[in-house]
């Protein structure tokens, strides 16, 4: 389960039922977060598996290094920040009638 | 300035205002593989210029935009980050993808370094336009007449 850094504002545990391809990389990031913050706060980290591949100034630079080294496979590009962003995303129960206009 | 203007069509038992109130404002969208896809080492089954077409819901309640995770994965795009999303019933960790969204009715193409991947296709939509996109636009929601105007 995620560390305290990923606790959501509503008090309960996050729902991890959906498939998340980068869960392993993210958990590794959280395990290394304090160490990364000490030296690289505000930067972007590239992680593959349980390895920090590099630290970059931009998402784009990290992306191209990941693509160059690993190709078209999942790898984590994450901003090193004290607070993990929680994106407000309301639950949808819409059900468009025919999926077209 | 490009303008999208639509009165949502009423069905036989639903007026335009009721239709818009029930389903919300939507616009046609085309999800495409990011521009560098031509260099990918894998065969991308749906990497053509047309991409996957469907509906995007304009959602002022969503901080960030999203695409359907199954659709974007099916196009051969792999995730590059994760994001914790808060909802009314708890929180979810979601994969985040690079994606290009095209809006032919607006003459607009948006390139996202990172867009949320959520399971929304069952709702009849393949994308959600959140406030990260709306901050660049003018949105007029006329609930009285069932009419929406978007300008950018």
């Amino acid at each position: 389960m995620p560390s305290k850094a990923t606790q959501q504002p509503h008090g309960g545990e996050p729902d991890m039922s959906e498939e998340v391809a980068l869960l392993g990389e993210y958990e590794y990031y959280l395990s290394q977060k304090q160490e990364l913050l000490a030296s690289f706060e505000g930067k972007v980290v590239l992680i593959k598996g349980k390895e920090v591949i590099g630290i970059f100034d931009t998402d784009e630079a990290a992306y191209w290094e990941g693509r160059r080294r690993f190709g078209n496979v999942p790898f984590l590009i994450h901003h090193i920040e004290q607070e993990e962003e929680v994106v407000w995303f309301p639950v949808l129960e819409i059900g468009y009638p025919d999926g077209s206009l | 300035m490009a303008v999208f203007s639509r009165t949502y069509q009423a069905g036989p038992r639903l007026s335009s205002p009721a239709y818009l109130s029930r389903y919300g404002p939507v616009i046609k969208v085309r999800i495409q593989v990011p521009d560098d896809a031509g260099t990918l080492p894998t065969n991308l089954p749906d990497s053509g210029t047309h991409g996957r077409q469907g509906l995007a819901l304009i959602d002022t309640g969503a901080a960030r935009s999203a695409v359907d995770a199954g659709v974007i994965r099916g196009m051969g795009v792999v995730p590059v980050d994760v994001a914790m999303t808060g909802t009314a019933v708890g929180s979810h960790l979601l994969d985040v993808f690079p994606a290009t969204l095209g809006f032919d009715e607006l003459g607009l193409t948006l390139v996202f370094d990172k867009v949320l991947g959520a399971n929304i296709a069952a709702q009849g939509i393949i994308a959600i336009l959140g406030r990260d996109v709306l901050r660049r636009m003018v949105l007029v929601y006329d609930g009285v007449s069932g009419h929406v105007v978007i300008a950018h």
Side-chain angles (χ1 to χ4, degrees):
Chain A
M1 297 299 289
S3 74
K4 289 180 180 178
T6 63
Q7 294 297 308
Q8 33 65 49
H10 309 289
E13 284 294 312
D15 179 355
M16 310 298 281
S17 58
E18 290 191 44
E19 179 186 349
V20 179
L22 291 170
L23 180 59
E25 277 84 355
Y26 184 59
E27 289 180 333
Y28 179 71
Y29 165 76
L30 294 175
S31 75
Q32 304 296 310
K33 182 173 177 176
Q34 292 309 314
E35 190 174 329
L36 290 166
L37 277 170
S39 300
F40 304 114
E41 185 170 5
K43 301 283 189 178
V44 178
V45 63
L46 169 62
I47 294 175
K48 176 65 178 166
K50 295 187 183 305
E51 183 181 1
V52 173
I53 304 302
I55 306 294
F56 301 86
D57 290 331
T58 64
D59 288 327
E60 185 178 18
Y63 176 74
W64 284 112
E65 178 62 12
R67 286 290 302 275
R68 184 185 70 80
R69 292 180 64 140
F70 305 113
N72 186 39
V73 298
F75 45 77
L76 184 77
I77 299 170
H78 200 76
H79 284 244
I80 303 168
E81 304 287 355
Q82 287 280 355
E83 298 292 329
E84 295 295 303
E85 181 188 14
V86 177
V87 181
W88 179 247
F89 197 74
V91 174
L92 293 173
E93 292 186 4
I94 301 166
Y96 241 81
D98 58 5
S100 64
L101 287 176
Chain B
M1 174 175 283
V3 177
F4 164 88
S5 179
R6 167 168 297 144
T7 297
Y8 288 85
Q9 294 301 307
R13 291 180 295 179
L14 204 60
S15 66
S16 291
Y19 191 95
L20 182 58
S21 176
R22 176 174 296 184
Y23 299 114
V26 293
I27 186 170
K28 292 177 182 174
V29 65
R30 181 169 24 84
I31 301 176
Q32 294 177 276
V33 175
D35 287 344
D36 67 306
T39 65
L40 296 182
T42 57
N43 293 321
L44 300 179
D46 205 358
S47 60
T49 55
H50 298 301
R52 285 287 304 275
Q53 298 188 55
L55 296 178
L57 174 73
I58 299 164
D59 185 356
T60 61
R64 284 170 56 182
S65 296
V67 297
D68 182 71
V71 167
I72 194 78
R73 283 197 185 97
M75 298 172 74
V77 180
V78 296
V80 294
D81 200 357
V82 297
M84 184 62 69
T85 58
T87 74
V89 295
S91 61
H92 301 259
L93 197 63
L94 297 178
D95 280 326
V96 172
F97 298 84
T100 298
L101 302 187
F103 303 92
D104 294 341
E105 293 166 299
L106 274 170
L108 178 65
T109 298
L110 299 173
V111 179
F112 289 86
D113 291 336
K114 294 181 174 181
V115 64
L116 299 174
N119 294 325
I120 55 176
Q123 309 293 341
I125 56 177
I126 63 170
I128 291 172
L129 295 187
R131 298 193 298 272
D132 54 343
V133 170
L134 295 175
R135 69 187 295 274
R136 311 181 204 182
M137 301 176 173
V138 175
L139 170 67
V140 178
Y141 181 102
D142 180 352
V144 175
S145 60
H147 190 84
V148 167
V149 177
I150 305 168
H152 76 95

